[in-house]
Amino acid sequence: TDAAPLIRADRSKLYMADLESALHYSLRVEAARASALSGAQLAAFKCYVAALVKYFPGRPCVQTYLQTLDGWLRNWTEPELPRDVLKEAMKNNKDASSPAVLPTNVTWVGCQGSERHFRGYPCGLWTIFHLLTVQAAKNGPDKELPLEVLSTMRCYVRHFFGCQECAEHFEAMAAQSMDRVSSREEAVLWLWSHHNEVNARLAGGDTEDPKFPKLQWPPPDMCPQCHKEERGVHAWEEPAVVTFLKAHFSPANIYMDYAE
Ligand code: FAD
């Protein structure tokens, strides 16, 4: 049936079902809308898949899927990539000696809205990019390629994100300050603080799910040590925020409930 399953998600956890649903949607639906990819758009797509291969902590069959797609894209040297050819290359291969599978169903768990038009994909996409910035900070030299993941996200959003207005807002924020990020840890904080800026702008608006009000995140009950007061004014305790983000967006915090 079309009825959404009754799900009780824990907001302190990440769910693989959300991550894989968002990956499936971004790769096979959103990025495959144009009749062909070329130029900067094709480059943005290749860059996104390459970052996923490096930093997405997927299940073995999903890792294989991403690696296979990445290898295939690297071999595609013609200026144009027709959608039908790309879609064929993005099909699952269950029969290979090491299966390459990204599930094709969309199930929102932590990202499930109280109604169908709330949350879902945009929530999943934020989660993927937070996870990637954190994995890049954990697994690479702090001062090397600090913008690797953020510029991948900037290109993805600019060229593919279906919400045009969102993409314009995000590009404006990126143009203003992204270039000043000088380490991988700063990249983690940049995405966190700008996501909070978006939350503040959208709080109380009509895209807000009434059951999931936009908060400055993480709220005090999730991370008391992230908050402090300076002369009566709320402030973030940034070292504690970094520690919290590294634990929250870690493979150990990804749960398999509802994953296919
Ligand atoms: P989301 O904001 O999607 O957050 C998803 C999850 O991430 C939350 O449940 C929480 O667990 C965690 N989280 C929340 N805040 C943070 C943080 N600061 N750091 C780390 N993790 C956090 N919608 C518009 O209406 N207008 C826009 O201009 C707009 N711009 C967008 C730009 C981008 C790049 C993206 C990806 C989305 C944008 N959206 C915009 C959609 C909007 O931001 C939300 O994604 C959507 O409303 C769903 O909200 P949500 O309640 O699921 O939480």
Side-chain angles (χ1 to χ4, degrees), residues 9-30:
D10 180 338
R11 66 198 178 108
S12 67
K13 294 175 176 173
L14 305 180
Y15 293 93
M16 194 56 99
D18 290 321
L19 297 166
E20 290 179 358
S21 296
L23 276 186
H24 161 73
Y25 189 85
S26 70
L27 293 167
R28 295 198 183 104
V29 182
E30 194 164 63

Side-chain angles (χ1 to χ4, degrees), residues 11 119 122-123 125-127 130 153 157 161 165-166 169-170 192 195-196 198-199 201-202 207 212 214 217 245 248-249:
R11 66 198 178 108
R119 309 192 72 220
C123 168
L125 195 66
W126 276 121
T127 311
H130 286 296
M153 177 175 181
V157 169
F161 194 45
E165 189 196 318
C166 305
H169 278 132
F170 191 76
W192 160 77
H195 189 173
N196 271 339
V198 174
N199 294 343
R201 182 161 52 77
L202 300 179
T207 59
F212 296 88
K214 306 273 182 226
W217 192 95
L245 293 172
H248 185 78
F249 294 103

Side-chain angles (χ1 to χ4, degrees), residues 70 90 111 185:
D70 182 53
M90 289 197 290
C111 285
E185 202 157 283

